[in-house]
Amino acid sequence: MLDRDQIAAASRVLVRHWRGGTKLDALEMHLRPQGRAEGYAVQAALETQSAAKLFGWKIAATSAAGQRHINVAGPLAGRIMSDTVIADGGTASMKGNEMRVGEPEFAFRMGRDLPPRTAPYTVDDVLGAVDSLHPAIEIPDSRFADFASAGEAQLIADNACAHLFVLGEATNANWRAMDLIEERPEITLRGKRYIGHGKNVLGDPRVALAWLANELRGLGITLRAGEVVTTGTCHPPLPIQSGDHLAADFGVLGKVSVGFE
């Protein structure tokens, strides 16, 4: 079991590699988390090492393709820090990025707090606390050279492969009346078009949002008003490279794009 000093030391190792754009094979055994709780403890220490503010949360592996990509059995939660957010239409650096994929996602901005409580939050509970819906693109990466063999505890410690994030404008559409399961965003990359599907996001992006609220509830963490939750890719991760431009058209829900240098 990791003590406070070991948790802090493990977090420092991961942050050092993130800032340097470098990779490691694995955390040393005396720093390696054993299980999800220790993974989240190491992840939480990331906030103490950053001058940036917590912008929101991401969910990794909400699709079967995403789970295969990092070799886990289910979703993982991670933190989005404000210094990792890129403006819509902006440019993302590819320095140190070995995962090299882009992911179109449904993101929600919270309108009120969801504090820890005994009873699980229902989908309706969580949707009632949402302020707005946004199209988004996540650009994940891992500090582990072989992220597919790192295991869920280390990947959670690694901030659930959080790296860079692009948030589109809040939609003006009446998204609450829409069936997000059947939304099919059109993604454009290197002249090719791909079609996403809302059902790829844990069956329903709204269900994924509720999963995140309850994951935080179990950790004793409040999901706060103003924080953004991006719910996981609606299309299998798309390979990207320097010079690419990735655009996602969510129809009436809006558009979002990012270039890569």
Side-chain angles (χ1 to χ4, degrees), residues 114-256:
L114 291 176
R117 69 182 193 185
T118 303
Y121 285 107
T122 67
V123 172
D124 287 343
D125 290 337
V126 177
L127 290 177
V130 169
D131 179 56
S132 55
L133 172 66
H134 304 244
I137 294 172
E138 195 202 354
I139 307 158
D141 195 27
S142 175
R143 272 43 71 181
F144 295 109
D146 184 4
F147 53 82
S149 66
E152 69 172 16
Q154 287 198 107
L155 290 176
I156 289 172
D158 187 30
N159 207 13
C161 301
H163 182 53
L164 300 174
F165 177 65
V166 187
L167 184 68
E169 293 290 331
T171 183
N172 292 319
N174 181 16
W175 62 270
R176 295 179 188 274
M178 297 171 63
D179 181 7
L180 297 184
I181 297 172
E182 291 304 327
E183 284 300 301
R184 296 174 184 265
E186 184 177 280
I187 307 105
T188 305
L189 176 66
R190 291 197 293 277
K192 294 185 178 180
R193 296 183 184 274
Y194 306 85
I195 304 299
H197 203 162
K199 73 176 184 180
N200 290 335
V201 187
L202 212 60
D204 184 336
R206 296 162 294 196
V207 169
L209 177 65
W211 177 90
L212 185 280
N214 283 310
E215 187 81 343
L216 298 188
R217 178 186 63 86
L219 295 167
I221 298 172
T222 296
L223 177 56
R224 297 195 179 278
E227 292 178 352
V228 168
V229 178
T230 193
T231 52
T233 188
C234 64
H235 187 279
L238 288 161
I240 54 173
Q241 60 191 26
S242 296
D244 281 348
H245 183 265
L246 178 65
D249 185 344
F250 285 69
V252 298
L253 297 177
K255 301 178 181 180
V256 62

